[in-house]
Amino acid sequence: MVRDLRSELLSGRMAEAALAHVREGRTPAEPRPASTVILLRDSPAGPEVYLLRRQRSMAFAAGMTVFPGGRVDPTDSSIADSWEGPSPEWFGERLGCSGETAAAYVAAAVRETFEESGVLLAGPSTETVVSDTTGADWEADRVALEGRSLGFAEFLHRRGLVLRADLLAPWAHWITPEFEPRRYDTRFFVAALPAGQVTRDVTSESDQVAWMRPADAVAAVDAGEMLMLPPTYLCCRDLTPYADVAAVLASSADRRITPVLPTVRVDNDQAYLETL
């Protein structure tokens, strides 16, 4: 059955939270800034996306299949000296925020992708990208970044790297529904897997990873074989027409990025999430 996001019946914990929010008139939590990267690679059957299934013990989106990403860290805004590509102001215009805020979103996108997949969108020069991040020293840095004992700007400086902002393209903007106790104001980016690099199942936040064609991921959700929140599902659905990664990246320039905030409708003691 094709998922209908115009009015989707909620169940379990999400339904309980939505009903309580509406009935009790709860004040929504302030959404925290976050970034997500739709990591892509070409295959003979077309583009594939990198997906992770979050641990069922996680406080947010437990058991959901997601793209790499996470919240913006306070230190993410201090990477101005290690930046290559379109200016933070350019990203700000595309993302609907200030250049300073946009820089933090971009830095978080690159950092979180490295933390959760081992893929690093950075290089020693403005025209190169790190070709291999599988060594023990890279893993030690990844763990330190994940544990926040190492700042991202410090990591780039010590490694002699520049953040390759030109490898990221803005794609979408989603805000967690108001009934959720943990809320995020998330910017989505698309990026190609750099040549020579490989993804690794390294993050403690997931229990399963996979490369899948977007159409196959959508079909798995529709068949009840995989769980996805609306942003991930719709991003995968948006990617299904493209023949290769280059076409995805080229199309990003024409995308109109507006914030999407799903709302809740209650009818006969049942909660429905309305996204479209």
Side-chain angles (χ1 to χ4, degrees):
M1 179 183 296
V2 176
R3 188 174 183 180
D4 183 5
L5 294 179
R6 291 171 298 179
S7 187
E8 187 173 32
L9 179 64
L10 296 177
S11 61
R13 184 203 61 80
M14 291 184 71
E16 293 174 2
L19 289 170
H21 176 80
V22 172
R23 289 169 176 167
E24 299 172 15
R26 294 179 178 177
T27 301
E30 188 69 22
R32 292 177 284 185
S35 295
T36 288
V37 174
I38 305 170
L39 195 60
L40 298 150
R41 72 177 184 186
D42 283 316
S43 78
E48 295 179 331
V49 295
Y50 186 65
L51 298 168
L52 308 90
R53 188 177 67 186
R54 287 174 62 82
Q55 296 276 6
R56 299 186 186 280
S57 59
M58 299 296 292
F60 180 80
M64 296 290 174
T65 296
V66 299
F67 306 118
R71 66 184 181 185
V72 175
D73 188 86
T75 64
D76 288 329
S77 60
S78 59
I79 44 79
D81 295 335
S82 303
W83 181 284
E84 177 59 35
S87 69
E89 288 70 29
W90 180 89
F91 275 99
E93 289 182 8
R94 295 286 286 127
L95 298 175
C97 59
S98 70
E100 181 180 2
T101 299
Y105 275 115
V106 172
V110 175
R111 175 183 53 74
E112 285 285 343
T113 300
F114 181 54
E115 289 179 14
E116 297 196 349
S117 72
V119 170
L120 182 60
L121 302 173
S125 72
T126 59
E127 297 180 352
T128 59
V129 184
V130 173
S131 60
D132 183 11
T133 61
T134 59
D137 58 332
W138 286 105
E139 177 60 12
D141 280 348
R142 190 200 65 78
V143 171
L145 284 167
E146 191 174 41
R148 300 298 181 265
S149 62
L150 175 65
F152 191 48
E154 179 187 354
F155 162 72
L156 293 175
H157 179 73
R158 180 160 55 79
R159 287 274 182 179
L161 301 174
V162 292
L163 182 151
R164 290 290 305 276
D166 56 317
L167 300 180
L168 290 162
W171 189 257
H173 179 187
W174 285 79
I175 303 173
T176 310
E178 293 184 344
F179 67 83
E180 288 280 14
R182 292 173 182 260
R183 301 184 63 222
Y184 298 94
D185 185 348
T186 307
R187 266 57 172 202
F188 286 69
F189 301 86
V190 288
L193 177 69
Q197 292 195 38
V198 294
T199 53
R200 296 183 288 127
D201 184 6
V202 289
T203 178
S204 60
E205 296 182 0
S206 66
D207 60 11
Q208 183 175 305
V209 300
W211 283 97
M212 296 183 70
R213 292 192 316 127
D216 292 338
V218 169
V221 174
D222 290 342
E225 300 167 356
M226 182 184 293
L227 297 175
M228 279 185 180
L229 293 174
T232 316
Y233 178 84
L234 286 175
C235 283
C236 283
R237 199 170 75 178
D238 286 349
L239 291 167
T240 57
Y242 296 99
D244 53 36
V245 175
V248 175
L249 297 176
S251 73
S252 66
D254 299 322
R255 283 182 68 86
R256 183 184 177 192
I257 300 174
T258 56
V260 180
L261 172 59
T263 58
V264 170
R265 175 176 60 86
V266 175
D267 185 16
N268 292 327
D269 293 328
Q270 291 186 311
Y272 296 83
L273 188 66
E274 298 183 339
T275 300
L276 300 179

